[in-house]
Amino acid sequence: MARIGVISISDGRDYVHGGIADFIGRTEDKLATRLTEAGHEVVRGSSPVSSNTLATSVAREIAAADVDLTVLHYAVWAFPHFTMLAAGAIDGPLLLLSNIDPVQPGMVGMLAAGGALDQIGREHTRLWGDPDSPELISSIGVHASAAAAVASLRGATFGRIGGRPMGMNTAVANTDQWQRLFGIDVEEIDQWEIVRRAELADAGEKVKAREWLERHANVHYDGKKLTPELLERQIGSYMAMRELIDEWNLDFTGIKGQPELTQYFATMDIAEAFLNDPYDWNGPKEPHVCATEADMDGALTMQLFKHIAGTPVLFADVRHYHGDRDIWDLCNSGQHATWYAARSSDPAENLARVHLYPEVFFFPAGGASVHHLAAPGEMTLGRLTRKDGAYRMQLMLGSFETYDEETNKALMNQSTPEWPHAFARLDAPAEVFLSRFGANHIHAIPGDHRATVRAACSLLGVTLDEFTRG
């Protein structure tokens, strides 16, 4: 949830403010209570704003509290220049909120203030209604959560392990553009660091992790492409990534992998899956977004989605379209977090559905491919892509589906059965999706988070390119 500042704006005439101050206080009390009950942290201004000096001082108090979103609250008619002064002291997102009381013209105050902000080009959002309305509180929460997600990007560092994979232009972004638009720095790290550190990683920890995987998942050793030694090498790669993340203070990462590591060392499937998971063999942990093929815009999308949904984020290739069923097979070597197998808080429940298969011929170095079929449910899917250098969020609602065991197996066997799969029904006709979608990778989070993603795009100045059958 988000940290929300609330400032009530009042009338500048002393005799009027004196008569309405109690009403403003009661309305603000109710608003703050409802937002707190919804799980947000509320920081209230020390006083309703009834003078120019209070407009600036109260706004500075809220700004100093490092809130994600500031709500300027209009329970009554309010002098518009108070809003202008307050807005000048606040750098973050603004939401103007009016009541709908016919006696007290808060709506008039909001419109006058909003118009003044429009005149100087200050972006803001407007909402109106009774704080007792769950819909209103939910709408405020959407904007606050979007603001928190956007704020989480600023000052972050992305760790790019390796360079462009296999000539994939969509996996490489402009670092100047990232700094300007999102406030993100990029740290370039050579893949040799994974090789070097994996070999030096604690042998006892590797054995502990391997035995944990053997107990809870289904490990299919073949004596060639997947052996206990190769699995421990992959575990060492995960440990190496954890070291790099801690040493370089990396907020999210991507690993090139192909072709050097996949041909001569091992695949990064174990590392990528468990970095994205909310657990490993040592217990619960914060999911760390790590994109395969060092996909920068993919990782950026995942980082934004993670902060919106508070869950691991799925990464996949758009592998195949089953026209007879109108479903897509979203499949990529090992990248899916194992959490998606059952989306359970119990790792054992997820891992019971996970199979570690020997890698396929694309990857001669071998290792385990982390196979499972994503559990069914409603999903928000999308990706930040670029058209003529400008960012857009390509967004759609969808759902993951599963079928009887025979059908699931037959569908997976049509592509690469050893890899993880998600059967997705998208709210987009195939001809529209394939004509417009700007990458081979797509990302997903459980539930319908489109409203929050839309709000985040507005704050980022990113064009929204939404897909729908409607």
Side-chain angles (χ1 to χ4, degrees):
M1 293 298 178
R3 186 172 170 88
I4 302 173
V6 176
I7 302 173
S8 291
I9 313 295
S10 185
D11 194 300
R13 294 166 290 187
D14 290 345
Y15 67 93
V16 176
H17 175 69
I20 58 177
D22 287 346
F23 174 75
I24 294 171
R26 291 194 302 273
T27 308
E28 185 184 301
D29 287 344
K30 185 162 61 171
L31 173 64
T33 298
R34 297 295 177 263
L35 289 172
T36 301
E37 290 172 349
H40 302 290
E41 181 182 356
V42 179
V43 180
R44 299 172 64 172
S46 57
S47 170
V49 172
S50 58
S51 71
N52 55 348
T53 54
L54 280 172
T56 300
S57 64
V58 173
R60 285 174 177 166
E61 292 171 10
I62 296 299
D66 194 28
V67 298
D68 299 307
L69 175 73
T70 300
V71 175
L72 300 180
H73 173 231
Y74 303 88
V76 298
W77 159 253
F79 281 20
H81 72 293
F82 296 164
T83 291
M84 303 297 281
L85 289 165
I90 296 170
D91 291 329
L94 296 177
L95 188 151
L96 277 53
L97 174 66
S98 83
N99 72 342
I100 52 171
D101 187 324
V103 175
Q104 295 292 345
M107 189 174 292
V108 180
M110 181 189 75
L111 289 170
L117 291 172
D118 285 343
Q119 288 176 189
I120 65 167
R122 178 63 189 271
E123 295 293 332
H124 62 279
T125 302
R126 303 180 197 178
L127 293 175
W128 51 91
D130 190 315
D132 280 330
S133 164
E135 293 77 15
L136 176 64
I137 297 301
S138 177
S139 293
I140 297 171
V142 162
H143 289 280
S145 296
V150 168
S152 73
L153 299 180
R154 301 212 166 271
T157 299
F158 173 71
R160 186 170 181 245
I161 318 298
R164 186 180 70 172
M166 301 182 298
M168 197 178 298
N169 287 357
T170 55
V172 181
N174 183 318
T175 57
D176 292 339
Q177 190 178 26
W178 268 32
Q179 188 64 251
R180 184 176 68 254
L181 295 179
F182 311 115
I184 297 172
D185 186 40
V186 177
E187 189 66 62
E188 301 280 355
I189 301 173
D190 197 278
Q191 292 189 109
W192 173 246
E193 278 293 88
I194 293 178
V195 176
R196 184 180 71 84
R197 290 168 184 257
E199 293 173 347
L200 295 173
D202 182 82
E205 181 76 5
K206 292 178 188 177
V207 171
K208 171 186 172 182
R210 174 176 57 78
E211 292 177 344
W212 181 80
L213 288 169
E214 290 169 346
R215 283 196 306 274
H216 295 290
N218 305 278
V219 184
H220 303 270
Y221 293 121
D222 69 347
K224 298 177 183 177
K225 283 290 194 72
L226 181 56
T227 64
E229 292 76 20
L230 275 170
L231 182 55
E232 288 186 18
R233 180 179 292 180
Q234 290 180 295
I235 291 164
S237 300
Y238 170 83
M239 295 165 65
M241 281 297 299
R242 291 295 298 266
E243 282 187 4
L244 289 169
I245 289 163
D246 290 343
E247 287 182 20
W248 289 93
N249 300 306
L250 305 176
D251 296 283
F252 61 125
T253 55
I255 306 173
K256 177 186 177 184
Q258 300 191 68
E260 298 90 354
L261 296 182
T262 56
Q263 285 184 220
Y264 304 112
F265 184 65
T267 62
M268 294 296 103
D269 295 17
I270 291 288
E272 290 163 351
F274 284 99
L275 285 170
N276 283 291
D277 265 322
Y279 48 76
D280 62 13
W281 36 89
N282 290 315
K285 67 175 183 65
E286 175 74 13
H288 174 91
V289 164
C290 180
T292 196
E293 294 162 337
D295 183 348
M296 294 177 68
D297 286 342
L300 177 59
T301 305
M302 293 171 73
Q303 187 74 351
L304 181 65
F305 278 11
K306 170 191 162 181
H307 284 288
I308 286 173
T311 68
V313 184
L314 186 127
F315 177 119
D317 267 330
V318 183
R319 176 65 184 271
H320 181 65
Y321 176 63
H322 294 277
D324 57 332
R325 294 176 173 268
D326 191 26
I327 61 164
W328 302 81
D329 187 355
L330 308 183
C331 173
N332 189 286
S333 173
Q335 174 67 46
H336 296 199
T338 67
W339 181 81
Y340 274 92
R343 298 204 302 279
S344 171
S345 58
D346 180 2
E349 186 176 351
N350 299 319
L351 291 170
R353 306 184 186 194
V354 171
H355 294 262
L356 303 186
Y357 286 122
E359 285 290 9
V360 297
F361 79 98
F362 295 112
F363 311 130
S369 178
V370 185
H371 164 89
H372 61 80
L373 177 59
E378 184 179 54
M379 294 283 155
T380 299
L381 300 102
R383 179 184 168 90
L384 285 162
T385 64
R386 285 162 284 149
K387 186 172 184 180
D388 196 20
Y391 271 96
R392 60 187 176 175
M393 173 64 78
Q394 297 193 285
L395 179 68
M396 69 209 75
L397 192 65
S399 61
F400 288 171
E401 299 182 356
T402 57
Y403 314 102
D404 62 86
E405 186 174 351
E406 182 179 354
T407 302
N408 290 337
K409 186 175 181 180
L411 290 171
M412 288 187 285
N413 283 342
Q414 290 186 43
S415 56
T416 306
E418 294 86 355
W419 292 354
H421 296 257
F423 298 137
R425 190 174 301 279
L426 305 182
D427 187 18
E431 60 273 17
V432 173
F433 180 88
L434 289 172
S435 298
R436 279 170 46 191
F437 199 68
N440 53 303
H441 294 153
I442 194 168
H443 317 283
I445 44 177
D448 184 358
H449 295 277
R450 289 175 298 169
T452 310
V453 175
R454 292 179 193 125
C457 289
S458 178
L459 291 171
L460 289 168
V462 168
T463 300
L464 186 67
D465 180 17
E466 196 155 357
F467 291 66
T468 178
R469 292 180 188 269

